[in-house]
Coordinates of all heavy atoms in Angstrom, one line a residue:
M1 N 138.5 36.7 139.3 CA 138.6 36.1 140.6 C 137.2 35.8 141.1 O 136.3 36.6 141.3 CB 139.2 37.2 141.6 CG 140.6 37.3 141.4 SD 141.5 36.4 142.7 CE 142.5 37.8 143.4
G2 N 136.9 34.5 141.2 CA 135.6 34.1 141.6 C 135.5 33.8 143.1 O 136.5 33.9 143.9
D3 N 134.3 33.5 143.6 CA 134.1 33.2 145.0 C 134.8 31.9 145.4 O 135.1 31.8 146.6 CB 132.6 33.0 145.2 CG 131.9 34.2 145.8 OD1 132.6 35.2 145.9 OD2 130.7 34.2 146.1
S4 N 135.1 31.1 144.5 CA 135.8 29.8 144.8 C 137.2 30.0 145.4 O 137.7 29.1 146.0 CB 135.9 28.9 143.6 OG 136.6 29.6 142.6
Q5 N 137.7 31.2 145.4 CA 139.0 31.5 146.0 C 138.9 31.6 147.5 O 139.9 31.6 148.1 CB 139.5 32.9 145.4 CG 139.6 33.0 143.9 CD 140.9 32.4 143.5 OE1 141.9 32.4 144.2 NE2 140.9 31.9 142.2
Y6 N 137.7 31.7 148.0 CA 137.5 31.8 149.4 C 137.0 30.5 150.1 O 136.3 29.8 149.5 CB 136.4 32.9 149.7 CG 136.9 34.3 149.4 CD1 136.8 34.9 148.2 CD2 137.5 35.1 150.4 CE1 137.3 36.1 147.9 CE2 138.0 36.3 150.2 CZ 137.9 36.9 148.9 OH 138.4 38.1 148.7
G7 N 137.4 30.4 151.3 CA 136.9 29.3 152.1 C 136.3 29.8 153.4 O 136.6 30.9 153.8
I8 N 135.6 29.0 154.1 CA 135.0 29.4 155.4 C 136.0 28.8 156.5 O 136.4 27.6 156.5 CB 133.6 28.8 155.6 CG1 132.7 29.2 154.5 CG2 133.1 29.2 157.0 CD1 132.3 30.6 154.5
C9 N 136.3 29.7 157.4 CA 137.2 29.3 158.5 C 136.5 28.3 159.4 O 135.3 28.5 159.8 CB 137.5 30.5 159.4 SG 138.3 30.2 160.9
P10 N 137.1 27.1 159.7 CA 136.5 26.1 160.5 C 136.2 26.5 161.9 O 135.4 25.9 162.6 CB 137.4 24.9 160.4 CG 138.7 25.4 160.0 CD 138.5 26.7 159.3
Y11 N 136.9 27.5 162.4 CA 136.8 27.9 163.8 C 135.7 29.0 164.0 O 135.2 29.3 165.1 CB 138.1 28.5 164.3 CG 139.1 27.3 164.5 CD1 140.2 27.2 163.6 CD2 139.0 26.4 165.5 CE1 141.1 26.2 163.7 CE2 139.9 25.3 165.6 CZ 140.9 25.3 164.7 OH 141.8 24.2 164.8
D12 N 135.4 29.7 162.9 CA 134.4 30.8 163.0 C 133.8 31.0 161.6 O 134.5 31.5 160.7 CB 135.0 32.1 163.5 CG 134.0 33.2 163.7 OD1 132.9 33.1 163.1 OD2 134.2 34.0 164.6
S13 N 132.5 30.5 161.4 CA 131.9 30.5 160.1 C 131.7 31.9 159.6 O 131.3 32.1 158.4 CB 130.7 29.7 160.1 OG 129.8 30.2 161.1
S14 N 131.9 32.9 160.4 CA 131.8 34.3 159.9 C 133.1 34.8 159.2 O 133.1 35.8 158.6 CB 131.3 35.3 161.0 OG 132.4 35.5 161.9
H15 N 134.1 34.0 159.3 CA 135.4 34.3 158.7 C 135.4 33.8 157.3 O 135.4 32.5 157.1 CB 136.6 33.8 159.4 CG 136.8 34.3 160.8 ND1 137.6 33.8 161.7 CD2 136.2 35.4 161.4 CE1 137.6 34.5 162.9 NE2 136.7 35.5 162.7
R16 N 135.5 34.6 156.3 CA 135.7 34.2 154.9 C 137.1 34.5 154.5 O 137.5 35.7 154.5 CB 134.7 34.8 153.9 CG 133.3 34.2 153.9 CD 132.4 34.9 153.0 NE 132.4 34.3 151.7 CZ 132.7 35.0 150.6 NH1 132.9 36.3 150.7 NH2 132.7 34.5 149.4
I17 N 137.9 33.5 154.2 CA 139.3 33.6 154.1 C 139.8 33.2 152.7 O 139.3 32.2 152.2 CB 140.1 32.8 155.1 CG1 139.4 33.0 156.5 CG2 141.6 33.0 155.2 CD1 139.5 34.4 157.1
L18 N 140.7 33.9 152.1 CA 141.3 33.5 150.8 C 142.0 32.2 151.1 O 142.7 32.0 152.1 CB 142.3 34.5 150.4 CG 141.7 35.7 149.6 CD1 142.8 36.8 149.5 CD2 141.2 35.4 148.3
L19 N 141.7 31.2 150.2 CA 142.2 29.9 150.4 C 143.7 29.8 150.6 O 144.1 29.0 151.4 CB 141.8 29.0 149.2 CG 140.3 28.5 149.2 CD1 140.0 27.6 148.0 CD2 139.9 27.8 150.5
F20 N 144.4 30.6 149.9 CA 145.9 30.5 150.0 C 146.4 31.1 151.4 O 147.5 30.8 151.8 CB 146.6 31.1 148.8 CG 146.6 32.6 148.8 CD1 147.7 33.3 149.4 CD2 145.6 33.3 148.1 CE1 147.7 34.7 149.4 CE2 145.6 34.7 148.1 CZ 146.7 35.4 148.7
R21 N 145.5 31.8 152.0 CA 145.8 32.4 153.3 C 145.3 31.5 154.5 O 145.6 31.7 155.6 CB 145.2 33.8 153.5 CG 146.0 34.8 152.7 CD 145.7 36.2 153.3 NE 146.3 37.2 152.4 CZ 145.7 38.3 151.9 NH1 144.5 38.5 152.3 NH2 146.3 39.1 151.1
M22 N 144.5 30.5 154.1 CA 143.8 29.7 155.1 C 144.8 29.0 156.1 O 144.5 29.1 157.3 CB 142.9 28.6 154.4 CG 142.0 27.9 155.4 SD 140.8 28.9 156.1 CE 139.4 28.7 155.0
P23 N 145.9 28.4 155.6 CA 146.8 27.7 156.6 C 147.3 28.6 157.7 O 147.3 28.3 158.8 CB 147.9 27.2 155.7 CG 147.3 27.0 154.3 CD 146.3 28.2 154.2
V24 N 147.6 29.9 157.3 CA 148.1 30.8 158.2 C 147.0 31.3 159.2 O 147.2 31.4 160.4 CB 148.8 32.0 157.5 CG1 149.2 33.1 158.5 CG2 150.0 31.6 156.7
H25 N 145.9 31.6 158.6 CA 144.7 32.1 159.3 C 144.3 31.0 160.4 O 144.0 31.4 161.5 CB 143.6 32.4 158.4 CG 142.3 32.7 159.1 ND1 142.0 34.0 159.5 CD2 141.3 32.0 159.7 CE1 140.9 34.0 160.2 NE2 140.4 32.8 160.3
I26 N 144.3 29.8 160.0 CA 143.8 28.7 160.9 C 144.7 28.6 162.1 O 144.2 28.4 163.2 CB 143.8 27.4 160.1 CG1 142.4 27.2 159.5 CG2 144.1 26.2 160.9 CD1 142.2 26.0 158.7
I27 N 146.0 28.7 161.9 CA 146.9 28.7 163.0 C 146.6 29.8 164.0 O 146.5 29.6 165.2 CB 148.4 28.7 162.6 CG1 148.7 27.4 161.8 CG2 149.3 28.9 163.7 CD1 150.0 27.5 161.0
K28 N 146.4 31.0 163.5 CA 146.1 32.1 164.4 C 144.7 31.9 165.0 O 144.6 32.2 166.2 CB 146.0 33.4 163.5 CG 147.4 34.0 163.3 CD 147.2 35.5 162.8 CE 148.0 35.7 161.5 NZ 147.5 36.8 160.7
C29 N 143.7 31.5 164.3 CA 142.4 31.4 164.8 C 142.3 30.2 165.8 O 141.6 30.3 166.8 CB 141.4 31.1 163.6 SG 140.0 32.1 163.7
A30 N 143.1 29.2 165.6 CA 143.1 28.1 166.6 C 143.6 28.5 168.0 O 143.1 28.0 169.0 CB 144.0 26.9 166.1
R31 N 144.4 29.5 168.0 CA 145.0 30.0 169.3 C 143.9 30.7 170.1 O 143.9 30.7 171.3 CB 146.1 31.0 169.0 CG 147.4 30.2 168.9 CD 148.6 31.2 168.9 NE 149.7 30.7 168.0 CZ 150.3 31.4 167.1 NH1 150.0 32.7 166.9 NH2 151.2 30.9 166.4
N32 N 143.0 31.4 169.4 CA 141.9 32.1 170.1 C 140.7 31.3 170.3 O 139.7 31.8 170.9 CB 141.5 33.4 169.3 CG 142.7 34.3 169.0 OD1 143.6 34.4 169.8 ND2 142.8 34.8 167.8
Y33 N 140.7 30.1 169.7 CA 139.5 29.3 169.7 C 139.1 28.8 171.1 O 140.0 28.2 171.7 CB 139.7 28.2 168.7 CG 138.5 27.2 168.5 CD1 137.3 27.6 168.0 CD2 138.6 25.9 169.0 CE1 136.3 26.7 167.8 CE2 137.6 25.0 168.8 CZ 136.4 25.4 168.3 OH 135.4 24.6 168.1
K34 N 137.9 28.9 171.5 CA 137.5 28.4 172.8 C 136.5 27.3 172.8 O 136.1 26.8 173.8 CB 136.9 29.6 173.6 CG 137.8 30.8 173.7 CD 138.7 30.7 174.9 CE 139.4 32.1 175.2 NZ 140.4 32.4 174.2
G35 N 136.1 26.9 171.6 CA 135.0 25.9 171.5 C 135.5 24.5 171.7 O 136.6 24.3 172.2
P36 N 134.7 23.5 171.4 CA 135.1 22.1 171.5 C 136.3 21.8 170.6 O 136.4 22.4 169.5 CB 133.9 21.3 171.1 CG 133.0 22.2 170.4 CD 133.3 23.6 170.9
P37 N 137.3 21.0 171.0 CA 138.5 20.7 170.2 C 138.1 20.1 168.9 O 137.2 19.3 168.7 CB 139.3 19.7 171.1 CG 138.3 19.2 172.1 CD 137.2 20.2 172.3
L38 N 138.8 20.6 167.9 CA 138.6 20.1 166.5 C 139.8 19.2 166.1 O 141.0 19.5 166.5 CB 138.5 21.3 165.5 CG 137.3 22.2 165.8 CD1 137.3 23.2 164.7 CD2 136.0 21.5 165.9
E39 N 139.6 18.2 165.4 CA 140.7 17.4 164.8 C 141.0 17.8 163.4 O 140.2 18.3 162.7 CB 140.2 15.9 164.8 CG 140.1 15.3 166.2 CD 140.3 13.8 166.2 OE1 140.3 13.2 165.1 OE2 140.4 13.3 167.3
I40 N 142.3 17.6 163.1 CA 142.8 17.9 161.8 C 142.5 16.8 160.8 O 142.9 15.7 161.1 CB 144.3 18.3 161.8 CG1 144.6 19.4 162.9 CG2 144.8 18.6 160.5 CD1 146.0 19.6 163.1
C41 N 141.9 17.1 159.7 CA 141.7 16.1 158.6 C 143.1 15.6 158.2 O 144.0 16.4 157.9 CB 140.9 16.8 157.5 SG 140.8 15.7 156.0
K42 N 143.2 14.3 158.0 CA 144.5 13.7 157.6 C 144.8 14.1 156.2 O 145.9 14.0 155.7 CB 144.4 12.2 157.7 CG 144.7 11.6 159.0 CD 144.7 10.1 159.0 CE 143.7 9.6 160.0 NZ 143.1 8.3 159.7
Y43 N 143.8 14.5 155.4 CA 144.0 14.7 154.0 C 144.1 16.2 153.6 O 144.5 16.5 152.5 CB 142.8 14.0 153.2 CG 142.8 12.6 153.6 CD1 141.9 12.1 154.6 CD2 143.6 11.7 152.9 CE1 141.9 10.8 154.9 CE2 143.6 10.3 153.3 CZ 142.8 9.9 154.3 OH 142.8 8.6 154.6
N44 N 143.8 17.1 154.5 CA 143.9 18.5 154.3 C 144.0 19.2 155.6 O 143.1 19.2 156.4 CB 142.8 19.0 153.4 CG 143.0 20.5 153.0 OD1 143.6 21.3 153.7 ND2 142.5 20.8 151.8
A45 N 145.2 19.8 155.9 CA 145.5 20.4 157.2 C 144.6 21.6 157.5 O 144.5 22.0 158.6 CB 146.9 20.8 157.3
T46 N 143.9 22.1 156.4 CA 143.0 23.3 156.7 C 141.6 22.8 157.0 O 140.7 23.6 157.3 CB 143.0 24.2 155.5 OG1 142.3 23.6 154.4 CG2 144.3 24.7 155.1
H47 N 141.3 21.5 157.0 CA 140.0 21.0 157.4 C 140.1 20.6 158.9 O 140.9 19.8 159.3 CB 139.7 19.7 156.7 CG 139.5 19.8 155.2 ND1 139.5 18.8 154.4 CD2 139.4 21.0 154.5 CE1 139.3 19.2 153.1 NE2 139.3 20.5 153.1
R48 N 139.3 21.3 159.7 CA 139.3 21.0 161.2 C 137.9 20.6 161.5 O 136.9 21.4 161.2 CB 139.7 22.3 162.0 CG 141.0 22.9 161.5 CD 142.2 22.1 162.1 NE 143.4 22.5 161.3 CZ 144.4 23.0 161.9 NH1 144.5 23.3 163.2 NH2 145.5 23.3 161.2
I49 N 137.7 19.4 162.1 CA 136.4 18.9 162.3 C 136.3 18.3 163.7 O 137.3 17.8 164.2 CB 136.1 17.7 161.2 CG1 136.2 18.3 159.8 CG2 134.8 17.1 161.5 CD1 137.5 18.1 159.2
K50 N 135.1 18.4 164.3 CA 134.9 17.7 165.6 C 135.1 16.3 165.4 O 134.7 15.7 164.4 CB 133.5 18.0 166.1 CG 133.4 19.4 166.7 CD 132.0 19.6 167.3 CE 131.5 21.0 167.3 NZ 130.1 21.2 166.9
A51 N 135.8 15.6 166.4 CA 136.2 14.2 166.3 C 135.0 13.3 165.9 O 135.1 12.4 165.1 CB 136.8 13.7 167.6
D52 N 133.8 13.6 166.5 CA 132.7 12.7 166.2 C 132.1 13.0 164.8 O 131.2 12.2 164.4 CB 131.6 12.8 167.3 CG 131.2 14.3 167.6 OD1 131.9 15.2 167.2 OD2 130.1 14.5 168.0
L53 N 132.5 14.0 164.2 CA 132.0 14.3 162.8 C 133.0 14.0 161.7 O 132.8 14.1 160.6 CB 131.6 15.8 162.7 CG 130.4 16.2 163.6 CD1 130.2 17.7 163.4 CD2 129.2 15.4 163.2
M54 N 134.2 13.4 162.2 CA 135.3 13.2 161.2 C 134.9 12.2 160.1 O 135.1 12.4 158.9 CB 136.5 12.7 161.9 CG 137.7 12.6 161.0 SD 138.2 14.1 160.1 CE 139.3 14.8 161.3
E55 N 134.2 11.1 160.5 CA 133.8 10.1 159.6 C 132.9 10.7 158.5 O 133.0 10.4 157.3 CB 133.1 8.9 160.3 CG 133.9 7.7 160.4 CD 133.2 6.6 161.2 OE1 132.3 6.0 160.6 OE2 133.5 6.3 162.3
Q56 N 131.9 11.5 159.0 CA 131.0 12.1 158.1 C 131.8 13.1 157.2 O 131.5 13.1 156.0 CB 130.0 12.9 158.9 CG 128.8 13.4 158.2 CD 128.0 14.4 159.1 OE1 127.7 14.0 160.2 NE2 127.6 15.5 158.6
H57 N 132.8 13.8 157.7 CA 133.5 14.7 156.9 C 134.2 13.9 155.7 O 134.3 14.4 154.6 CB 134.6 15.4 157.7 CG 135.6 16.1 156.9 ND1 135.4 17.3 156.2 CD2 136.9 15.8 156.6 CE1 136.4 17.6 155.6 NE2 137.4 16.7 155.8
L58 N 134.8 12.8 156.1 CA 135.6 12.1 155.1 C 134.8 11.6 153.9 O 135.2 11.5 152.8 CB 136.3 10.8 155.7 CG 137.5 11.2 156.7 CD1 138.1 9.9 157.2 CD2 138.5 12.0 156.0
E59 N 133.5 11.4 154.2 CA 132.6 11.1 153.1 C 132.4 12.2 152.0 O 132.1 11.9 150.9 CB 131.2 10.7 153.6 CG 131.2 9.3 154.1 CD 129.9 8.9 154.8 OE1 128.8 9.5 154.5 OE2 129.9 8.1 155.7
E60 N 132.6 13.4 152.5 CA 132.5 14.5 151.5 C 133.8 15.3 151.3 O 133.8 16.3 150.6 CB 131.4 15.5 152.0 CG 131.6 16.0 153.4 CD 130.3 16.5 154.1 OE1 129.2 15.8 153.8 OE2 130.3 17.5 154.8
C61 N 134.9 14.8 151.9 CA 136.1 15.5 151.8 C 136.8 15.3 150.4 O 137.1 14.2 150.0 CB 137.1 15.0 152.9 SG 138.8 15.7 152.7
A62 N 136.9 16.4 149.6 CA 137.4 16.2 148.3 C 138.9 15.7 148.3 O 139.3 15.0 147.4 CB 137.4 17.6 147.6
D63 N 139.6 16.1 149.3 CA 141.0 15.7 149.3 C 141.2 14.2 149.7 O 142.0 13.5 149.2 CB 141.8 16.5 150.4 CG 141.9 17.9 149.9 OD1 142.7 18.2 149.0 OD2 141.1 18.8 150.4
Y64 N 140.2 13.7 150.5 CA 140.2 12.3 150.8 C 139.9 11.5 149.5 O 140.5 10.5 149.2 CB 139.1 12.0 151.9 CG 138.8 10.6 152.1 CD1 139.5 9.8 153.1 CD2 137.7 9.9 151.4 CE1 139.2 8.5 153.3 CE2 137.4 8.6 151.7 CZ 138.2 7.9 152.6 OH 137.9 6.6 152.9
K65 N 138.9 12.0 148.7 CA 138.6 11.3 147.5 C 139.7 11.3 146.5 O 140.1 10.3 145.9 CB 137.4 12.0 146.9 CG 136.1 11.6 147.5 CD 134.9 12.2 146.8 CE 133.7 12.1 147.7 NZ 132.9 13.3 147.8
K66 N 140.4 12.5 146.4 CA 141.6 12.6 145.5 C 142.6 11.6 145.9 O 143.2 10.9 145.1 CB 142.2 14.0 145.6 CG 141.8 14.9 144.4 CD 142.5 16.2 144.5 CE 141.6 17.3 144.9 NZ 142.4 18.5 145.4
F67 N 142.9 11.5 147.2 CA 143.9 10.6 147.7 C 143.6 9.2 147.4 O 144.5 8.5 146.9 CB 144.0 10.8 149.3 CG 145.1 9.9 149.9 CD1 146.4 10.4 150.0 CD2 144.8 8.7 150.4 CE1 147.4 9.6 150.6 CE2 145.8 7.9 151.0 CZ 147.1 8.4 151.1
H68 N 142.4 8.8 147.6 CA 142.0 7.4 147.3 C 141.9 7.1 145.9 O 142.2 6.0 145.4 CB 140.8 7.0 148.2 CG 141.2 6.8 149.6 ND1 141.8 5.7 150.1 CD2 141.1 7.7 150.7 CE1 142.0 5.8 151.4 NE2 141.7 7.0 151.8
E69 N 141.5 8.1 145.1 CA 141.4 7.8 143.6 C 142.8 7.6 143.1 O 143.0 6.7 142.3 CB 140.8 9.1 142.9 CG 139.3 8.9 142.7 CD 138.6 10.2 142.4 OE1 139.3 11.1 141.8 OE2 137.5 10.4 142.8
Y70 N 143.8 8.4 143.6 CA 145.2 8.2 143.2 C 145.6 6.8 143.5 O 146.3 6.1 142.7 CB 146.0 9.3 143.9 CG 147.5 9.2 143.5 CD1 147.9 9.6 142.2 CD2 148.4 8.7 144.4 CE1 149.2 9.6 141.9 CE2 149.7 8.6 144.1 CZ 150.2 9.1 142.8 OH 151.5 9.0 142.5
E71 N 145.3 6.4 144.8 CA 145.8 5.1 145.2 C 145.2 4.0 144.3 O 145.9 3.0 143.9 CB 145.2 4.9 146.7 CG 146.1 4.0 147.5 CD 145.5 3.9 148.9 OE1 144.3 3.8 149.1 OE2 146.3 4.0 149.8
L72 N 143.9 4.1 144.0 CA 143.2 3.1 143.1 C 143.9 3.1 141.7 O 144.1 2.1 141.2 CB 141.7 3.4 143.0 CG 140.9 3.1 144.3 CD1 139.5 3.6 144.1 CD2 140.9 1.6 144.6
L73 N 144.2 4.3 141.2 CA 144.8 4.4 139.9 C 146.2 3.7 139.9 O 146.5 3.0 139.0 CB 145.1 5.9 139.6 CG 143.9 6.6 138.9 CD1 144.3 8.1 138.7 CD2 143.6 5.9 137.5
Q74 N 146.9 3.9 141.0 CA 148.3 3.3 141.2 C 148.1 1.8 141.1 O 148.8 1.1 140.5 CB 148.9 3.7 142.5 CG 149.4 5.2 142.5 CD 150.5 5.4 141.5 OE1 151.5 4.8 141.5 NE2 150.2 6.3 140.5
K75 N 147.1 1.3 141.9 CA 146.9 -0.2 141.9 C 146.5 -0.7 140.5 O 147.1 -1.7 140.1 CB 145.7 -0.5 142.9 CG 146.3 -0.7 144.3 CD 145.1 -1.1 145.2 CE 145.5 -0.8 146.7 NZ 144.4 -0.5 147.5
A76 N 145.6 0.0 139.9 CA 145.2 -0.5 138.5 C 146.4 -0.5 137.6 O 146.6 -1.4 136.8 CB 144.1 0.5 138.0
F77 N 147.3 0.5 137.7 CA 148.4 0.6 136.9 C 149.4 -0.5 137.2 O 149.9 -1.1 136.2 CB 149.1 2.0 137.2 CG 150.2 2.3 136.2 CD1 150.0 2.4 134.9 CD2 151.5 2.5 136.7 CE1 151.0 2.7 134.0 CE2 152.6 2.8 135.8 CZ 152.3 2.9 134.5
Q78 N 149.6 -0.9 138.4 CA 150.5 -2.0 138.8 C 149.9 -3.3 138.3 O 150.7 -4.1 137.8 CB 150.6 -2.0 140.3 CG 151.8 -1.2 140.8 CD 151.7 -0.8 142.2 OE1 151.1 -1.6 143.0 NE2 152.4 0.2 142.6
V79 N 148.6 -3.5 138.3 CA 148.0 -4.7 137.8 C 148.3 -4.8 136.3 O 148.7 -5.9 135.8 CB 146.5 -4.7 138.1 CG1 145.9 -5.9 137.3 CG2 146.3 -4.9 139.6
R80 N 148.2 -3.7 135.6 CA 148.4 -3.7 134.2 C 149.8 -4.0 133.8 O 150.2 -4.6 132.8 CB 147.9 -2.4 133.6 CG 146.9 -2.6 132.5 CD 146.4 -1.2 132.0 NE 145.4 -0.6 132.9 CZ 145.3 0.7 133.0 NH1 146.1 1.5 132.4 NH2 144.4 1.2 133.9
K81 N 150.8 -3.5 134.7 CA 152.2 -3.6 134.5 C 152.7 -5.0 134.7 O 153.7 -5.4 134.1 CB 153.0 -2.7 135.4 CG 153.4 -1.4 134.7 CD 154.6 -0.7 135.3 CE 154.6 -0.7 136.8 NZ 155.5 0.3 137.4
S82 N 152.0 -5.8 135.6 CA 152.5 -7.1 135.9 C 152.5 -8.0 134.6 O 151.5 -7.9 133.8 CB 151.7 -7.7 137.0 OG 150.4 -7.9 136.6
P83 N 153.5 -8.8 134.4 CA 153.5 -9.6 133.2 C 152.4 -10.6 133.1 O 151.9 -11.1 134.1 CB 154.9 -10.4 133.3 CG 155.2 -10.3 134.8 CD 154.6 -9.1 135.3
P84 N 151.9 -10.8 131.9 CA 150.8 -11.7 131.7 C 151.2 -13.1 132.1 O 152.4 -13.5 131.9 CB 150.5 -11.6 130.2 CG 151.7 -11.1 129.6 CD 152.4 -10.3 130.6
R85 N 150.3 -13.9 132.6 CA 150.6 -15.2 133.0 C 150.9 -16.1 131.8 O 150.2 -16.0 130.8 CB 149.4 -15.8 133.8 CG 149.3 -15.4 135.2 CD 148.3 -16.1 136.0 NE 146.9 -15.8 135.5 CZ 145.9 -16.6 135.7 NH1 146.0 -17.7 136.4 NH2 144.7 -16.2 135.2
S86 N 152.0 -16.8 131.9 CA 152.3 -17.7 130.7 C 151.8 -19.1 131.0 O 152.2 -19.7 132.0 CB 153.8 -17.7 130.5 OG 154.5 -17.9 131.7
E87 N 150.8 -19.5 130.3 CA 150.3 -20.8 130.5 C 150.4 -21.7 129.3 O 150.4 -21.2 128.2 CB 148.8 -20.7 130.9 CG 148.6 -20.4 132.4 CD 147.2 -20.1 132.8 OE1 146.4 -21.1 132.8 OE2 146.8 -19.0 133.0
Ligands
LIG1 ZN1 139.0 32.3 161.6
LIG2 ZN1 139.2 16.8 154.7

């Protein structure tokens, strides 16, 4: 078991939480949270970011990258699947 199993709670950076428990923890922590409102990342519900930092987050969000890489792969695949032009 390595350190990579843990993530930092977006509501309190002193909380180190097992990643598989993060979704449950975040819901509990959000209820007690008193700071500025955080937005939920569209690509991973356990990412909570201040609205003005969301753009910056997406630049480094691994799930955002995964999502768009998949989309690009699908597009490339579709292009390859289309029949060759008969001229
Ligand atoms: Zn927490
Ligand atoms: Zn994210």
Side-chain angles (χ1 to χ4, degrees):
M1 286 257 236
D3 259 5
S4 58
Q5 302 276 334
Y6 288 87
I8 305 288
C9 170
Y11 292 107
D12 187 332
S13 56
S14 69
H15 296 168
R16 279 178 89 238
I17 311 300
L18 279 167
L19 282 181
F20 75 90
R21 287 199 185 132
M22 190 65 94
V24 175
H25 174 89
I26 269 181
I27 290 164
K28 277 196 229 157
C29 230
R31 275 190 212 131
N32 305 322
Y33 179 68
K34 302 272 192 292
L38 300 185
E39 288 204 350
I40 302 171
C41 172
K42 274 183 239 156
Y43 303 94
N44 186 326
T46 70
H47 298 164
R48 310 280 165 121
I49 299 96
K50 281 186 209 139
D52 54 337
L53 294 177
M54 185 58 88
E55 257 179 71
Q56 191 187 315
H57 165 77
L58 290 180
E59 276 173 29
E60 56 203 34
C61 175
D63 294 283
Y64 172 86
K65 278 185 200 134
K66 258 188 254 162
F67 182 87
H68 286 278
E69 265 164 30
Y70 180 75
E71 207 176 46
L72 287 174
L73 273 176
Q74 290 295 302
K75 269 185 204 151
F77 189 59
Q78 270 162 23
V79 168
R80 237 177 280 145
K81 262 203 320 196
S82 62
R85 281 187 295 163
S86 49
E87 279 174 72

